[in-house]
């Protein structure tokens, strides 16, 4: 009666490990921020929280304006068994906000209801759940985005949602093109499928990881937000404000012009109300300096095979010749499928200097620099402060970290160490995290020379660990190649001069003939999605000033008969004037002939 909007948070039961999928702690934190804003700033909202599942109190939904669902989804979603009851709420205009796993339900009847309630949902075998760093710096004008700045956060950003037809009523709020590496996993219910690969890898469609929905009845609203895997992310002011704004909007409240203000949570606030006690020591170790990286192409002295839960014992043996080494770098990369739940242990790491000498535990030394994508690098503990365990077995001594990471040691000069030995294993802190833990994969590397940014970029699909995501910029291309030390490589041509070269040939004057493959597979001859409606091109690239870089591009031929051409062979004409280009494309092989030498095809 006083005009305030009632928001009911319904937190799911405990799900993942400490500081992940913290449904109870997350709901209590967000509701507390809303109620503080109501008290201190007059925000017309009152929020209440029901923890550990759907409320047993039959009056919980009396006078509710918005329900916030933060819980496990899929077949376990607590709304799946309450479709009719929740329909009654939405028919009177009650809003629905679903956070992270709560956006997922099953296809069919449940999915149809979620489409009615919030315009979209995570559909298994259609949507995917990779970990990646989303950069959202072009937000639309909407009450939900008021006062929200750039968001750049690593999270388990689900994407390729199932939306209502033509996205009618849906306003994308956070959109970005996910990196190619988010689809490195094999196809599965959550990991990949032909539809999402076509959308992201071929059509390059931005993916919506947060969206607002105005229901067609004009009464109700919905909001889907796929972030929220890592509890720490609620400490990001823009991340948190966006969700608080959305809750007020979905409740039909008025979002302040600068958004819902809330103070940045302290570490104590973030650690409050966790489902599990904080593992290990109460204090995280002091942050060491970030390791410096080299340029050029530095090869590791050792690289393991990729370690997954299918690897026997969840670990591999490491034995490396380090004769003459003055420094040692231990590197863990993410195995090529993103770094979610990639908790890694260097178990029993030791230095040896001969058969008659006792090994020296590496943990007896202090590292010079270290970095870890998640948590901290720790002696005798995993990256989150818990006990070191691999495949359920306690590790005698070791170093816990998380992909992607680099640890730098300076070796004592009064020893002549010849070998480094250890086991590289998956810590149970990662593998025990349900479906995420089943997808863990890491790779262990040992360097005796400073590792390069190029190596980390090429081996870290998610970036971090002192490295960066693999760059697609032409200026960085050569550094990411593995070039023989007696050779040099330079960039001759790159985008935008030409795009997606499928085949090349070089004529007697050093000109490079290139077939571009833009209209490839699903792109081909489809006006709706085709990027090159006039057909693919064959280009001639020339270096006119002798600096080994192309500075001139000519279109020799363009048409749909060379869409995604397979091969080129350039030959002189019998008269010696002009060129004959032999082309293989789809089911045809033919000549394109330049009779007058103007580098344009005259006949086929």
């Amino acid at each position: 009666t006083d005009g305030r909007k009632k928001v009911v948070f319904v937190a799911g039961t405990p799900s993942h490990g400490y500081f992940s999928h913290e449904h109870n702690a997350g709901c209590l934190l967000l509701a507390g921020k809303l109620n503080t804003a109501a008290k201190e700033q007059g925000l017309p909202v009152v929020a209440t929280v029901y923890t550990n599942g759907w409320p047993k109190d039959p009056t919980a939904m009396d006078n509710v304006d918005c329900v916030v669902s933060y819980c496990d989804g899929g077949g376990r979603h607590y709304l799946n068994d309450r479709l009719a009851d929740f329909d009654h709420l939405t028919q009177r205009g009650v809003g629905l906000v679903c956070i992270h796993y709560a956006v997922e339900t099953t296809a069919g009847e449940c999915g149809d209801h979620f489409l009615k309630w919030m315009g979209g949902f995570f559909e298994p075998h259609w949507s995917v759940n990779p970990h990646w760093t989303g950069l959202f710096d072009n937000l639309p004008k909407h009450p939900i985005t008021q006062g929200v700045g750039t968001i750049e956060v690593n999270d388990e950003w689900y994407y390729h949602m199932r939306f209502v037809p033509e996205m009618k009523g849906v306003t994308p709020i956070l959109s970005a093109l996910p990196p190619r590496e988010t689809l490195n996993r094999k196809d599965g219910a959550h990991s990949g499928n032909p539809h999402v690969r076509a959308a992201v890898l071929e059509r390059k469609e931005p993916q919506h990881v947060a969206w607002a929905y105005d229901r067609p009845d004009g009464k109700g609203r919905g909001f889907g937000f796929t972030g929220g895997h890592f509890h720490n992310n609620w400490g990001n002011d823009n991340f948190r404000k966006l969700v608080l704004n959305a809750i007020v909007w979905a409740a039909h409240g008025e979002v302040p012009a600068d958004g819902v203000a809330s103070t940045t949570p302290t570490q104590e606030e973030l650690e409050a109300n966790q489902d599990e006690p904080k593992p290990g020591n109460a204090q995280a170790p002091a942050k060491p300096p970030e390791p410096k990286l080299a340029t050029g192409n530095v090869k590791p002295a050792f690289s393991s095979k990729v370690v997954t839960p299918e690897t026997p014992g969840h670990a591999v043996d490491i034995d490396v010749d380090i004769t003459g080494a003055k420094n040692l770098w231990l590197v863990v990369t993410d195995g090529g499928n993103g770094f979610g739940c990639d908790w890694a242990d260097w178990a029993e790491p030791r230095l040896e200097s001969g058969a008659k000498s006792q090994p020296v535990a590496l943990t007896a030394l202090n590292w010079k620099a270290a970095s870890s994508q998640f948590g901290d690098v720790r002696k005798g503990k995993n990256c989150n402060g818990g006990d070191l365990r691999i495949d359920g077995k306690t590790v005698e001594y070791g170093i816990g970290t998380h992909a992607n990471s680099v640890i730098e040691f300076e070796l004592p000069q009064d020893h002549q160490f010849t070998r480094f030995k250890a086991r590289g294993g998956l810590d149970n802190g990662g593998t025990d995290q349900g479906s995420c833990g089943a997808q863990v994969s890491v790779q262990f590397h040992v360097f005796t020379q400073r590792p390069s940014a190029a190596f980390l970029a090429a081996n870290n699909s998610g970036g971090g660990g002192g490295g960066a995501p693999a760059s697609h910029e032409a200026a960085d291309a050569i550094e990411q190649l593995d070039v023989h030390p007696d050779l040099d490589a330079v960039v001759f041509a790159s985008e935008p001069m030409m795009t997606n070269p499928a085949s090349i040939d070089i004529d007697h004057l050093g000109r490079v003939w290139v077939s571009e493959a833009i209209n490839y597979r699903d792109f081909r001859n489809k006006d709706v999605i085709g990027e090159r409606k006039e057909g693919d091109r064959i280009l001639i690239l020339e270096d006119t000033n002798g600096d080994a870089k192309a500075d001139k591009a000519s279109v020799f031929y363009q048409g749909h008969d060379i869409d995604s051409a397979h091969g080129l062979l350039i030959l002189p004409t019998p008269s010696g004037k002009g060129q004959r280009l032999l082309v293989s494309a789809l089911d045809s092989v033919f000549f394109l002939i330049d009779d007058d030498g103007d580098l344009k095809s005259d006949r086929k």
Side-chain angles (χ1 to χ4, degrees), residues 270-345:
L270 288 170
E271 292 178 1
N273 304 305
Q274 298 289 308
D275 293 327
E276 301 176 11
K278 183 175 181 178
N281 299 327
Q283 298 294 325
K287 287 286 186 184
E290 292 278 329
K292 296 179 181 179
L293 299 174
T295 58
N297 294 280
V298 181
K299 295 182 179 180
F302 168 87
S303 288
S304 74
K305 65 181 182 180
V306 174
V307 185
T308 74
E310 297 180 359
T311 302
H314 295 186
V316 291
D317 290 328
I318 298 170
D319 186 353
V320 191
D321 185 348
I322 59 169
T323 303
K326 296 181 179 180
N327 295 77
L328 198 65
W329 289 265
L330 308 184
V331 175
V332 179
T333 57
D334 58 35
N337 70 343
F339 45 73
C341 300
D342 286 349
W343 301 38
D345 296 337

Side-chain angles (χ1 to χ4, degrees), residues 312-383:
H314 295 186
V316 291
D317 290 328
I318 298 170
D319 186 353
V320 191
D321 185 348
I322 59 169
T323 303
K326 296 181 179 180
N327 295 77
L328 198 65
W329 289 265
L330 308 184
V331 175
V332 179
T333 57
D334 58 35
N337 70 343
F339 45 73
C341 300
D342 286 349
W343 301 38
D345 296 337
W346 295 90
E348 299 93 35
R350 56 202 183 273
L351 303 166
E352 296 184 355
S353 53
K356 297 181 180 180
S357 301
Q358 289 295 318
V360 175
L362 189 64
T363 50
L365 308 179
N366 292 322
W367 47 75
K368 185 176 179 180
S371 65
S372 177
Q373 185 68 39
F374 171 80
D376 300 283
V377 178
R378 301 173 187 256
K379 289 184 185 180
K381 297 289 182 181
N382 63 31
C383 65

Side-chain angles (χ1 to χ4, degrees), residues 560-583:
H560 286 294
D561 51 348
I562 59 165
D563 282 348
S564 61
H566 307 308
L568 304 177
L569 175 64
I570 185 66
L571 299 166
T573 62
S575 66
K577 184 177 182 181
Q579 305 285 343
R580 290 183 300 158
L581 182 68
L582 187 61
V583 181

Side-chain angles (χ1 to χ4, degrees), residues 9-12 20-33 49 51 68 70 99 228 230-232 234 240 243-244 247 269-275:
F9 286 79
V10 181
S20 296
H21 284 228
E22 290 292 351
H23 305 139
N24 293 316
C27 286
L28 289 165
L29 186 149
L30 294 173
K33 295 299 183 183
V49 180
T51 58
V68 180
Y70 194 9
I99 299 174
F230 296 120
H231 187 69
N232 259 337
W234 298 119
R240 187 179 65 258
V243 174
L244 294 177
I247 293 169
E269 284 182 279
L270 288 170
E271 292 178 1
N273 304 305
Q274 298 289 308
D275 293 327

Side-chain angles (χ1 to χ4, degrees), residues 45-320:
V45 169
V46 58
T48 187
V49 180
Y50 290 87
T51 58
N52 295 307
W54 191 259
K56 297 179 175 61
D57 180 358
T59 69
M61 299 299 164
D62 288 356
N63 302 319
V64 66
D65 292 287
C66 178
V67 174
V68 180
S69 176
Y70 194 9
C71 64
D72 279 355
R76 301 193 299 274
H77 204 300
Y78 51 56
L79 288 178
N80 291 352
D81 299 327
R82 298 175 173 84
L83 300 179
D85 289 342
F86 202 77
D87 249 346
H88 289 305
L89 294 177
T90 60
Q91 287 166 11
R92 74 169 201 242
V94 173
L96 173 64
V97 171
C98 285
I99 299 174
H100 198 51
Y101 200 0
V103 304
E104 181 184 341
T105 188
T106 55
E109 184 181 12
C110 294
D112 292 343
H113 278 76
F114 273 67
L115 289 177
K116 286 196 303 180
W117 298 338
M118 64 175 190
F121 73 100
F122 183 112
E123 179 182 308
H125 297 288
W126 176 264
S127 310
V128 292
N129 68 345
H131 289 247
W132 54 291
T133 299
L135 171 60
F136 311 101
D137 55 2
N138 188 23
L139 278 59
K141 187 175 181 180
H142 191 280
I144 291 175
T145 64
Q146 289 176 179
V148 179
T150 296
I151 296 174
E152 185 173 9
V153 170
N154 173 255
D155 208 316
E156 189 180 24
W157 294 109
Y158 308 157
Y159 65 82
H160 202 242
M161 298 294 106
R162 175 70 73 183
F163 288 110
V164 292
E166 300 178 0
M167 296 190 67
K168 191 173 182 179
V170 174
T171 301
I173 299 297
L174 296 181
S175 303
L177 182 64
R180 174 180 293 271
E181 292 78 15
T182 60
L183 292 173
N184 277 355
R185 296 176 291 171
K186 295 180 181 179
D187 286 356
H190 297 81
S191 55
N193 57 76
H195 309 288
V196 68
R197 294 181 192 282
V200 174
L201 303 183
E202 297 183 20
R203 300 196 297 272
K204 296 180 174 58
E205 295 173 347
Q207 297 298 302
H208 314 308
V209 302
W211 68 95
Y213 182 56
D214 289 282
R215 297 178 196 144
D217 59 12
K219 297 179 183 178
R221 295 170 172 175
F223 177 71
F225 183 77
T226 71
H229 176 90
F230 296 120
H231 187 69
N232 259 337
N233 286 343
W234 298 119
N236 182 293
D237 291 339
N238 288 311
F239 184 96
R240 187 179 65 258
K241 179 179 282 190
L242 185 92
V243 174
L244 294 177
N245 286 356
I247 293 169
V248 173
W249 175 82
H252 281 275
E254 184 174 349
V255 180
D258 293 328
V260 177
S262 65
T263 57
T264 305
T266 64
Q267 189 63 26
E268 184 179 6
E269 284 182 279
L270 288 170
E271 292 178 1
N273 304 305
Q274 298 289 308
D275 293 327
E276 301 176 11
K278 183 175 181 178
N281 299 327
Q283 298 294 325
K287 287 286 186 184
E290 292 278 329
K292 296 179 181 179
L293 299 174
T295 58
N297 294 280
V298 181
K299 295 182 179 180
F302 168 87
S303 288
S304 74
K305 65 181 182 180
V306 174
V307 185
T308 74
E310 297 180 359
T311 302
H314 295 186
V316 291
D317 290 328
I318 298 170
D319 186 353
V320 191

